Amino acid sequence: MSIVRVALDIPLPSLFDYSTEELAVPGQRVIVPFGRRQMVGVVMECTLTSDMDAERIKPVTQLLHDGAPLSAELLDLLRFCSDYYRHPIGPVVLSALPTRLRSDKPLPVKPPENYSLSVAGAALNLDDFPKRKVVQRRILARLAAGAASLTQLKGISATAGAQLKALLQDGYIEHCDEVVAVAEHKLVGAHTLTDEQQDAVDAVEQAKGYACFLLHGVTGSGKTEVYVHLMHDVLARGGEQVLLLVPEINLTPQLEQYFRSRFPDTSFASLHSGLSEGERLHNWQQAQSGAAQIVLGTRLSVFAELPRLALIIVDEEHDGSFKQQDGLRYSARDVAIFRANQRGIPIVLGSATPSLETYHNAQSGRYRMLKLSGRALAAATLPQVRCVNVNHTVMHHGISENLLRDIEQRIARREQSLLFINRRGYAPVLMCSGCGWLSNCKHCAGKMVLHLKDRRLRCHHCGYQIRVPTACPECGNADLKPVGSGTQRIEEVLQERFPEARILRVDRDSTRNKRAWQEMREQIHANEVDILVGTQMLAKGHDFPALTLVGVLNPDSALYSSDFRAPERLFAQLAQVAGRAGRADKPGEVLIQTAFPDHPLYRALQRHDFDGFAAAQLAERQMAGFPPFVYQAMLRAEALDENEVFGFLNKARTAAVELKMEVEILGVVPAALPRRANHVRAQLLIQASTRKALQQFLRAWRLDALPAQKLRWSLDVDPQEF
Ligand code: ADP
Ligand code: ZN
Ligand code: ZN
């Protein structure tokens, strides 16, 4: 009899011992009794002894044999994350798995997912096959060249699954065990690289073992082209895998489509939160078996099993969505770097506006800087950026006269304009003109936002909502006014000024439906839209050739935020939205409405000078003692009772001070949003001058030992939000 030490999804920092008569291996999934339940766990270690009393050790209910065990490499990666982010190992391991693998039912055994032509299929003359069965014809043509996996066939068409069933039924194809590997991974539409692109590709290819590169180039400078060339070279070596990490946005399907179109013969698997459980499991297994050679995914895909991984690319590495904000608060970019190091392979971080951490590392030589200095297409020049002072111009409900005139010109030229709205501080709230009452949320420290459509006030922090009151609850005055106009107000102003114009509002509400968003993109591409009004989501990754004007309505609040990263984010956002203007042959223009036209951030933006901006920011951060010059961890707590929160944090602080280690322990302070859904929130920041010192401290800081009833707390290592 042997002992297995099992990771379970239980928030305790330990493994759980069980006995088994069968031979178990690390990485294998097991079903075990826990309390009165049966739970799925993962075997982390197999031993012969246990610290527990022999009679208390329960036997494993079932060892699962429905898939390959997790690799030692993945288990190591998960152990590292558990240790680095101070999160219990069980939840770390289990949350890395697709939901289906976490259920206590074994997976159904499926027939092999590979197909080949049957005798009848081989004898078939395609000319005699019905022309209208387009997908079936393409499948038959592909299988005539050799057997293929379901994933490969799904690469031909999304409906391949249903068509395969029909072909099986008609007897033209059959299941088989082996797939003929595609020897050639065709790269479609490859450009001859510019010298800078070629240098970047060469540098990565010549890397021996682990190396981290920052590919820094403005939007349109040809970073994607560098990625596909690098991917192609890896694929050409045969059998190896590439992991392409992309931000968590509703663009993943388009990106996938784009990369699939560049590599039509290559099998892909995508991993993101938009997939059904079944799809996610299937794609995960394709990555695990090595059948999928390109794995494209959002942050969770950094934990995919990739036995032949040879290259990692992180696109838009600065994007906030790479950091998970609950549970295991990991940065997928940082975990990806650890993973590349662990495997001894190169990793490329790409961005037009890298995070200052990454940029600093590239400048100090820890990473290698690869620069693309201009736009790849000679005709596409960078947009001209101008500021308009909102205090010295006529404003129409938030839109300046200057901007309206510019829009007018575009409409006359049949070009498109985009009005970019910074969501923060922009949602309209209700104010009483008599006493100054504001629509505060009664459960939070925030304000409730006015939704005109259904005449409601809604809190965006806790979801609390009420009908719009007809009179002020404080003084009874009936004159309640919205302050801070929302996207709907903007739309009204525009429609009044340009009655003929076709205006499209693109925000989270209007794009919740995938189909609707697809239709909107088509409308924009067909130039059936004159003015786009939108938030963050429009800034990213779209290519709208007729778009030549971007108006930025209200960027200033980020300049004076209490979060030291706010300027960095604003610069990235504005550079990105500016990158939308003038991608094709038409030059673009950006108009920023601001009360501070001489602010260094806007100046740098006008000169397209990320380096200058970054240098100034880094100098400031060094002076102030902020990251990347220090390493931080944030302890957050929230509870209904204020005394609980501050009591807990003060005890944690005392415990930290008593350790007398090389860290700076700041004071206990209220969170940026001090109250949410009736819970009082506060935090405690720890800083150290090296990562190592911080890690040593965090390991010694026994937070579990502190009493914490009626209280939620979390530790965030390398926090991004303040
Ligand atoms: P980024 O990823 O940096 O935004 P892309 O790789 O998408 O840039 O390139 C921008 C545009 O320039 C695309 O239309 C692309 O096809 C084109 N392009 C990229 N590299 C080259 C090249 N070497 N020669 C010609 N066109 C190129
Ligand atoms: Zn009032
Ligand atoms: Zn609220």
Side-chain angles (χ1 to χ4, degrees):
M1 194 175 76
S2 61
I3 304 290
V4 286
R5 315 205 61 215
V6 177
L8 292 176
D9 193 3
I10 300 288
L12 290 174
S14 61
L15 298 174
F16 298 86
D17 291 5
Y18 291 90
S19 64
T20 173
E21 305 284 338
E22 273 181 84
L23 182 68
V25 293
Q28 192 167 11
R29 281 156 52 251
V30 287
I31 299 177
V32 294
F34 189 86
R36 282 192 219 138
R37 284 181 291 167
Q38 293 288 320
M39 294 184 82
V40 158
V42 174
V43 174
M44 300 298 286
E45 294 163 30
C46 301
T47 66
L48 292 171
T49 57
S50 168
D51 296 339
M52 269 169 67
D53 296 337
E55 61 271 22
R56 288 187 53 215
I57 299 179
K58 293 186 199 152
V60 163
T61 309
Q62 191 183 358
L63 286 173
L64 296 173
H65 297 280
D66 55 358
L70 302 181
S71 66
E73 186 180 313
L74 183 62
L75 295 182
D76 273 347
L77 180 73
L78 296 169
R79 272 190 210 102
F80 162 79
C81 288
S82 164
D83 181 51
Y84 185 87
Y85 293 108
R86 309 308 308 158
H87 200 71
I89 182 74
V92 170
V93 171
L94 274 298
S95 65
L97 298 179
T99 322
R100 285 275 176 88
L101 293 179
R102 274 180 266 158
S103 96
D104 59 6
K105 309 220 170 16
L107 301 175
V109 182
K110 282 199 193 161
E113 302 254 20
N114 303 324
Y115 298 87
S116 62
L117 291 182
S118 64
V119 177
L124 185 74
N125 184 348
L126 263 190
D127 294 334
D128 303 336
F129 196 78
K131 292 262 182 301
R132 60 193 166 76
K133 297 187 176 172
V134 182
V135 176
Q136 293 193 13
R137 291 172 65 93
R138 281 162 66 193
I139 291 171
L140 290 170
R142 169 64 184 81
L143 293 182
S149 72
L150 179 63
T151 314
Q152 287 167 340
L153 294 169
K154 276 193 170 161
I156 293 177
S157 158
T159 65
Q163 301 306 326
L164 284 166
K165 272 206 195 92
L167 286 169
L168 272 173
Q169 226 151 40
D170 295 344
Y172 291 123
I173 65 172
E174 59 194 19
H175 288 296
C176 66
D177 293 333
E178 292 289 314
V179 175
V180 182
V182 185
E184 204 192 343
H185 292 274
K186 205 178 350 148
L187 170 59
V188 171
H191 291 286
T192 310
L193 297 180
T194 63
D195 287 348
E196 278 183 327
Q197 284 174 321
Q198 190 63 54
D199 288 348
V201 169
D202 290 346
V204 178
E205 253 150 34
Q206 280 154 18
K208 299 265 178 308
Y210 165 76
C212 183
F213 297 88
L214 167 58
L215 181 62
H216 182 205
V218 294
T219 322
S221 61
K223 295 186 292 299
T224 309
E225 202 58 31
V226 170
Y227 303 156
V228 295
H229 278 256
L230 286 171
M231 289 158 82
H232 185 236
D233 291 338
V234 168
L235 296 172
R237 296 205 294 260
E240 300 196 323
Q241 292 176 300
V242 179
L243 173 62
L244 176 61
L245 285 169
V246 299
E248 183 85 51
I249 37 173
N250 56 359
L251 274 176
T252 322
Q254 277 102 272
L255 274 177
E256 189 186 337
Q257 226 173 47
Y258 172 81
F259 283 99
R260 272 185 195 271
S261 74
R262 302 292 306 263
F263 294 100
D265 304 337
T266 306
S267 21
F268 271 74
S270 66
L271 288 169
H272 54 85
S273 52
L275 299 177
S276 70
E277 283 178 16
E279 286 170 321
R280 193 171 153 209
L281 174 65
H282 177 257
N283 293 356
W284 195 87
Q285 289 172 328
Q286 292 294 312
Q288 183 187 32
S289 70
Q293 279 157 314
I294 299 177
V295 173
L296 183 153
T298 52
R299 67 171 177 261
L300 56 89
S301 65
V302 77
F303 296 117
E305 188 81 270
L306 294 156
R308 305 205 185 105
L309 182 63
L311 172 69
I312 305 178
I313 296 168
V314 185
D315 192 24
E316 309 286 3
E317 68 85 27
H318 64 280
D319 194 277
S321 71
F322 286 122
K323 172 88 175 172
Q324 170 130 321
Q325 300 294 356
D326 55 16
L328 175 70
R329 291 170 163 76
Y330 68 99
S331 152
R333 177 198 63 208
D334 295 350
V335 174
I337 294 170
F338 177 84
R339 198 165 182 180
N341 201 337
Q342 177 192 35
R343 263 195 92 82
I345 57 169
I347 176 168
V348 178
L349 312 177
S351 178
T353 50
S355 68
L356 291 181
E357 281 84 354
T358 299
Y359 186 80
H360 180 63
N361 278 330
Q363 284 208 316
S364 68
R366 286 191 50 191
Y367 301 168
R368 286 187 50 196
M369 180 85 85
L370 306 171
K371 267 198 193 290
L372 302 179
S373 48
R375 281 193 162 179
L377 293 169
T381 50
L382 288 168
Q384 198 201 349
V385 180
R386 289 179 298 136
C387 285
V388 46
N389 190 329
V390 291
N391 294 326
H392 300 159
T393 184
V394 184
M395 299 293 288
H396 307 268
H397 294 284
I399 312 184
S400 63
E401 182 57 33
N402 312 43
L403 182 53
L404 287 173
R405 268 189 254 128
D406 283 3
I407 295 172
E408 196 162 20
Q409 282 179 0
R410 307 298 138 144
I411 295 176
R413 297 209 299 254
R414 291 195 47 75
E415 293 171 7
Q416 291 170 335
S417 307
L418 160 64
L419 296 201
F420 179 69
I421 293 167
N422 188 10
R423 208 163 38 89
R424 259 195 206 153
Y426 205 68
V429 303
L430 212 54
M431 190 172 91
C432 167
S433 62
C435 72
W437 169 87
L438 282 170
S439 55
N440 290 314
C441 173
K442 69 175 180 186
H443 305 291
C444 300
K447 310 231 176 334
M448 296 216 281
V449 173
L450 180 64
H451 287 249
L452 279 177
K453 227 185 207 145
D454 49 0
R455 309 260 335 136
R456 284 183 165 269
L457 291 171
R458 225 174 250 131
C459 172
H460 289 187
H461 295 297
C462 72
Y464 177 67
Q465 48 174 303
I466 54 168
R467 252 271 189 100
V468 171
T470 46
C472 172
E474 293 285 324
C475 72
N477 179 356
D479 187 24
L480 300 178
K481 280 208 187 85
V483 290
S485 30
T487 43
Q488 295 174 8
R489 282 302 278 305
I490 297 290
E491 231 182 309
E492 284 164 23
V493 175
L494 290 170
Q495 203 70 76
E496 227 166 82
R497 176 78 168 244
F498 308 114
E500 307 285 290
R502 295 158 303 178
I503 300 171
L504 185 67
R505 178 154 56 90
V506 185
D507 56 23
R508 205 152 301 146
D509 291 338
S510 63
T511 55
R512 198 153 286 151
N513 179 332
K514 268 188 211 158
R515 177 77 46 77
W517 175 222
Q518 179 61 25
E519 272 166 27
M520 285 187 190
R521 289 181 52 238
E522 280 163 19
Q523 272 181 296
I524 300 168
H525 274 281
N527 212 355
E528 288 164 7
V529 176
D530 301 306
I531 307 172
L532 285 153
V533 180
T535 50
Q536 266 83 325
M537 53 170 308
L538 265 182
K540 288 183 184 172
H542 306 283
D543 200 349
F544 300 138
L547 183 70
T548 60
L549 173 68
V550 173
V552 180
L553 293 192
N554 55 335
D556 286 344
S557 63
L559 296 179
Y560 305 98
S561 164
S562 59
D563 185 344
F564 66 88
R565 283 195 183 85
E568 174 183 343
R569 290 198 202 103
L570 177 64
F571 190 97
Q573 208 174 55
L574 295 186
Q576 209 158 30
V577 74
R580 298 301 114 220
R583 296 235 339 167
D585 48 344
K586 301 182 183 108
E589 229 182 294
V590 179
L591 196 67
I592 298 174
Q593 298 190 163
T594 169
F596 311 97
D598 294 325
H599 193 283
L601 190 153
Y602 298 133
R603 291 275 153 151
L605 200 69
Q606 285 174 320
R607 294 193 306 266
H608 303 285
D609 182 14
F610 178 83
D611 294 313
F613 168 74
Q617 281 286 310
L618 284 171
E620 258 178 49
R621 293 216 195 154
Q622 186 156 30
M623 290 255 291
F626 285 138
F629 301 97
V630 298
Y631 296 85
Q632 299 180 321
M634 179 81 91
L635 178 64
R636 300 193 181 92
E638 61 177 68
L640 287 171
D641 181 358
E642 175 165 356
N643 294 328
E644 288 282 343
V645 175
F646 286 91
F648 172 82
L649 289 175
N650 282 321
K651 283 199 196 86
R653 189 172 189 285
T654 307
V657 172
E658 280 168 359
L659 288 172
K660 294 197 173 58
M661 292 175 79
E662 294 285 300
V663 293
E664 185 187 356
I665 302 153
L666 283 81
V668 174
V669 294
L673 185 72
R675 210 156 63 89
R676 183 170 71 189
N678 287 331
H679 285 68
V680 177
R681 310 165 78 230
Q683 60 198 32
L684 167 61
L685 186 66
I686 307 289
Q687 297 193 148
S689 57
T690 64
R691 217 183 267 286
K692 195 161 159 225
L694 182 65
Q695 283 291 318
Q696 276 171 350
F697 165 80
L698 293 176
R699 275 187 210 117
W701 199 20
R702 296 302 316 276
L703 292 168
D704 305 314
L706 297 175
Q709 276 104 37
K710 293 182 264 166
L711 172 113
R712 267 209 308 260
W713 63 266
S714 65
L715 186 67
D716 190 351
V717 180
D718 307 327
Q720 293 292 308
E721 309 269 330
F722 280 78

